[in-house]
Amino acid sequence: MKFAALAIAFATAVSGYTLLDSSNFAAKTKDGNWLVKYYSPTCPWSRRFAPTWEKVYSDLQDSLASKDVFFGEVDCKVDRAICDAADIDGYPTVVYYSAGVNKGEVPGGQSYESLVEYAQSI
């Protein structure tokens, strides 16, 4: 258990976006606009998508911070209830939240170009 906590802390420090779980999901997403990646660490598609997600975040974090657009992710292997509540049926899936309300899946959400275009339109 200690190892898992350290791994999560390290991932947050390295990635910069917020790791969301049952202890912080509602509180974090209730304010502002959120692009939330739902994934499974054992899913090959999730692992392939990870560098794209990192690039979108690193390219846009500064320009979107002033618009209250934040990036987060949920590990569905750890927090299945959050994924079930969002009707996640495949990985990875990116969902847009505004003031805590699920506004739906980001169209073309696994493409760098689609994610950038969508994020900049918020």
Side-chain angles (χ1 to χ4, degrees):
M1 192 65 167
K2 278 184 160 181
F3 176 75
L6 287 172
I8 289 171
F10 177 72
T12 302
V14 170
S15 66
Y17 46 81
T18 304
L19 295 175
L20 300 167
D21 59 30
S22 56
S23 72
N24 67 4
F25 185 88
K28 291 284 187 185
T29 61
K30 74 180 175 86
D31 295 316
N33 299 293
W34 285 80
L35 292 174
V36 177
K37 176 183 82 168
Y38 290 90
Y39 74 101
S40 169
T42 60
C43 167
W45 299 110
S46 291
R47 289 193 305 266
R48 286 184 193 136
F49 178 64
T52 301
W53 181 248
E54 282 284 338
K55 183 158 176 46
V56 170
Y57 171 76
S58 70
D59 288 353
L60 298 180
Q61 67 178 333
D62 293 334
S63 65
L64 294 181
S66 64
K67 294 171 67 174
D68 285 334
V69 177
F70 307 100
F71 291 79
E73 62 179 42
V74 175
D75 179 344
C76 292
K77 294 284 255 185
V78 174
D79 282 291
R80 183 76 235 161
I82 295 173
C83 301
D84 288 344
D87 292 324
I88 303 303
D89 60 3
Y91 310 118
T93 299
V94 179
V95 175
Y96 169 53
Y97 288 83
S98 181
V101 177
N102 180 333
K103 298 293 188 174
E105 200 171 314
V106 174
Q110 293 183 19
S111 144
Y112 173 85
E113 294 78 12
S114 295
L115 283 168
V116 167
E117 182 178 331
Y118 191 88
Q120 290 175 330
S121 73
I122 295 173

